[in-house]
Amino acid sequence: MDVCTFEKVGIRGTNIVVLGVEKKSVAKLQDERTVRKICALDDHVCMAFAGLTADARVVINRARVECQSHKLTVEDPVTVEYITRFIATLKQKYTQSNGRRPFGISALIVGFDDDGIPRLYQTDPSGTYHAWKANAIGRSAKTVREFLEKNYTEDAIASDNEAIKLAIKALLEVVQSGGKNIELAIIRRNQPLKMFSAKEVELYVTEIEKEKEEAEKKKSKKSV
Amino acid sequence: MAATFFGEVVKAPCRAGTEDEEEEEEGRRETPEDREVRQQLARKREVRLLRRQTKTSLEVSLLEKYPCSKFIIAIGNNAVAFLSSFVMNSGVWEEVGCAKLWNEWCRTADTTHLSSTEAFCGFYHLKSNPSVFGSCPRKNMQITILTCRHVTDYKTLESTGSLPSPFLKALKTQNFKDPACCPLLEQPNIVHDLPAAVLSYCQVWKIPAILYLCYTDVMKLDLITVEAFKPILSTRSLKGLVKNIPQSTEILKKLMTTNEIQSNIYT
């Protein structure tokens, strides 16, 4: 059950994968850089998680080691499905061992495989994993998922910018204070993970708001 | 009595009732010190009803002084946040008094200066509409109670993971004729504590009353839980009281940010 967790959204575009997360407000004296929600597992795979931060740290460390071990052993980077299966198997082991409790996290894992195909997977504490075209995890995941079901179309993900805007729009449905509480990361084919700065996110948010206003103006003109 | 393997003598369990009772009586006999401590605590416990302006005691029963036709009680921080941002934001509400209490379970030892975060109850009446806490006879009074409960207390055949928490359930007295805005609380779920006491009182004295119980997975102050109370605004009892919903939502957000205690456990 998602309790007190902040929203995370993952979208699989044609040439891009997008991960958007709701930033929680940090205490005044806290160093913001140490509160990271989107973590790179390798150059071509990253993940966002919702749930217990400490559990996530353990899972991420194991996954990162596995990524490098795989690369050294078979001389190929992991596929997104492989590392997702690894994480899911790890989580399942903890549901069936004595004296241990399950990992309290759900994760969204995105990346590109060597063949250039974008992937998005979701895992949950039981150890199941599924591939998604777009998904959300967190407290209001249902609301965000309904928004995505309505708005995820082939047009919406045709271009990279549109996919990014879709992720931001989905988060804005539930995030309380708008653009300044959104963190975004993308991976483009054959390029490393890129984290967006607050300014870049704001630019997208302003563009979205402009489009919204224009759409409303058109609507009111039509009705008149 | 029986001897164990290690040589100690222990009391053997006995199903004869009389023998057990004697043993229990002995254990319960309290020393004079226990009695003294208990009496001191009883003296310290107090419930004070204070008039707002003068802070003097309200001698007269509040309902006789301010008879009302609509009485709304919110219990718990989410219900109180809902009431203060949506209902009390519309119109001018005047605080007529408050009740403060102290007993040995309260966290502060200071009995004279009770802050408003301790066990506290405020009484407000609507200045513009005297029928709410106004001068109508007691016979037409209608009571609405709002409270929250953790979703793990909700007993159902469905798996708790699939429940759409937070969700509302209602329970009403026999004399309450209006329809509730949400499904009624099914068996075997029961209501506890103060809301149950108020509802029982209303049922016995034939006062129409309805309890709206929000089952939520977050017991601390939470925006989604407070917004789960919104369907109540469309009911007859609260309809006339709420005017400005967007403004209320803004006030609620402000309340959340001032009260937010960020914990680093969850991301």
Side-chain angles (χ1 to χ4, degrees):
Chain A
M1 206 180 288
D2 290 311
V3 178
C4 299
T5 53
F6 300 83
E7 298 319 307
K8 324 276 183 276
V9 139
I11 296 195
R12 188 183 82 193
T14 334
N15 302 310
I16 188 176
V17 284
V18 187
L19 262 186
V21 308
E22 178 187 358
K23 254 200 304 208
K24 72 172 189 202
S25 46
V26 294
K28 259 192 194 166
L29 296 171
Q30 200 170 28
D31 190 342
E32 218 181 310
R33 286 178 309 127
T34 57
V35 185
R36 277 267 151 260
K37 265 136 251 123
I38 302 178
C39 311
L41 299 179
D42 203 346
D43 297 326
H44 62 297
V45 186
C46 71
M47 86 175 224
F49 59 89
L52 293 165
T53 323
D55 286 7
R57 194 181 62 231
V58 171
V59 169
I60 289 171
N61 283 344
R62 300 274 273 271
R64 282 173 173 166
V65 167
E66 178 62 22
C67 283
Q68 299 315 307
S69 169
H70 185 278
K71 213 187 272 188
L72 289 167
T73 319
V74 301
E75 293 183 4
D76 273 333
V78 291
T79 59
V80 185
E81 201 263 344
Y82 176 91
I83 196 65
T84 308
R85 194 165 6 108
F86 173 81
I87 291 173
T89 315
L90 176 65
K91 285 186 183 179
Q92 192 279 335
K93 272 198 206 132
Y94 278 66
T95 66
Q96 222 177 358
S97 309
N98 61 331
R100 295 179 186 191
R101 62 161 178 81
F103 285 103
I105 60 165
S106 289
L108 282 177
I109 302 159
V110 295
F112 276 87
D113 286 343
D114 240 2
D115 54 10
I117 300 183
R119 309 267 183 207
L120 165 64
Y121 286 92
Q122 188 219 348
T123 64
D124 55 27
S126 62
T128 56
Y129 70 97
H130 300 278
W132 290 75
K133 293 183 192 162
N135 199 5
I137 52 177
R139 188 100 196 284
S140 319
K142 268 191 207 135
T143 323
V144 181
R145 211 172 295 132
E146 281 165 10
F147 175 86
L148 288 171
E149 280 173 9
K150 275 192 218 141
N151 294 286
Y152 185 91
T153 56
E154 289 309 315
D155 291 333
I157 52 147
S159 85
D160 293 355
N161 272 342
E162 290 303 314
I164 295 172
K165 273 195 260 180
L166 181 62
I168 298 180
K169 272 190 244 178
L171 276 177
L172 286 173
E173 289 281 301
V174 289
V175 161
Q176 271 133 54
S177 351
K180 56 182 162 66
N181 270 19
I182 293 181
E183 213 170 85
L184 207 69
I186 58 162
I187 304 184
R188 289 198 166 99
R189 193 176 288 117
N190 298 325
Q191 286 180 36
L193 169 73
K194 177 176 187 300
M195 295 284 307
F196 275 36
S197 65
K199 273 198 200 142
E200 289 168 316
V201 176
E202 267 311 311
L203 281 172
Y204 276 102
V205 172
T206 2
E207 215 182 298
I208 290 171
E209 282 172 359
K210 234 197 284 175
E211 284 176 10
K212 225 187 189 178
E213 276 176 33
E214 284 172 10
E216 277 175 14
K217 270 192 208 159
K218 272 194 193 161
K219 242 193 198 171
S220 54
K221 270 191 191 160
K222 269 192 188 167
S223 60
V224 163
Chain B
M1 298 306 223
T4 66
F5 182 79
F6 301 101
E8 53 191 271
V9 176
V10 293
K11 177 180 162 304
C14 174
R15 273 177 277 188
T18 44
E19 210 178 301
D20 275 343
E21 273 174 34
E22 274 179 32
E23 296 293 333
E24 273 183 38
E25 289 271 355
E26 277 182 36
R28 252 193 270 137
R29 215 175 290 149
E30 51 180 15
T31 63
E33 286 156 341
D34 290 334
R35 214 175 301 132
E36 172 89 29
V37 170
R38 245 186 271 280
Q39 277 170 359
Q40 272 186 7
L41 280 173
R43 276 195 288 266
K44 269 189 161 177
R45 275 183 230 141
E46 57 174 3
V47 179
R48 276 187 287 161
L49 279 174
L50 301 169
R51 201 193 298 267
R52 177 75 181 98
Q53 285 82 15
T54 55
K55 295 276 187 214
T56 54
S57 294
L58 271 172
E59 298 293 341
V60 176
S61 148
L62 204 62
L63 283 176
E64 283 171 30
K65 175 115 177 96
Y66 295 92
C68 61
S69 69
K70 277 185 197 161
F71 195 64
I72 308 165
I73 312 175
I75 301 162
N77 46 12
N78 284 305
V80 167
F82 171 76
L83 213 60
S84 47
S85 23
F86 285 86
V87 176
M88 286 174 61
N89 169 48
S90 323
V92 179
W93 291 80
E94 186 196 15
E95 190 183 347
V96 296
C98 64
K100 288 185 177 168
L101 72 86
W102 187 92
N103 60 31
E104 57 265 36
W105 291 289
C106 287
R107 279 180 220 145
T108 56
D110 187 355
T111 54
T112 47
H113 299 106
L114 293 167
S115 71
S116 59
T117 51
E118 303 297 324
F120 173 82
C121 170
F123 301 104
Y124 300 86
H125 85 136
L126 189 59
K127 262 183 157 168
S128 56
N129 185 353
S131 74
V132 183
F133 231 23
S135 49
C136 291
R138 197 168 161 176
K139 271 192 266 183
N140 297 335
M141 187 162 70
Q142 205 184 58
I143 296 187
T144 312
I145 312 160
L146 308 173
T147 188
C148 284
R149 195 99 191 139
H150 202 276
V151 72
T152 46
D153 286 339
Y154 184 66
K155 296 166 187 56
T156 173
L157 288 172
E158 298 168 34
S159 119
T160 42
S162 62
L163 287 173
S165 69
F167 57 93
L168 270 185
K169 291 285 176 188
L171 197 60
K172 48 186 182 169
T173 58
Q174 214 166 9
N175 287 56
F176 191 91
K177 300 297 177 204
D178 297 336
C181 64
C182 60
L184 293 180
L185 189 65
E186 315 91 348
Q187 288 191 356
N189 293 294
I190 60 173
V191 183
H192 302 76
D193 304 330
L194 181 58
V198 174
L199 215 57
S200 310
Y201 180 92
C202 295
Q203 173 68 8
V204 166
W205 291 101
K206 297 189 171 36
I207 305 172
I210 184 162
L211 160 70
Y212 288 106
L213 181 53
C214 179
Y215 282 100
T216 174
D217 46 6
V218 179
M219 286 311 285
K220 64 175 179 121
L221 195 60
D222 170 61
L223 185 65
I224 300 175
T225 308
V226 176
E227 293 198 330
F229 281 110
K230 268 189 176 161
I232 301 172
L233 299 175
S234 58
T235 60
R236 237 172 56 149
S237 29
L238 287 186
K239 212 171 201 167
L241 293 175
V242 182
K243 276 139 204 142
N244 196 343
I245 294 190
Q247 199 188 38
S248 308
T249 324
E250 283 307 312
I251 294 183
L252 186 61
K253 282 187 189 167
K254 268 196 209 144
L255 205 71
M256 292 293 155
T257 44
T258 48
N259 282 322
E260 237 169 26
I261 306 166
Q262 284 301 345
S263 108
N264 286 316
I265 298 180
Y266 293 104
T267 301

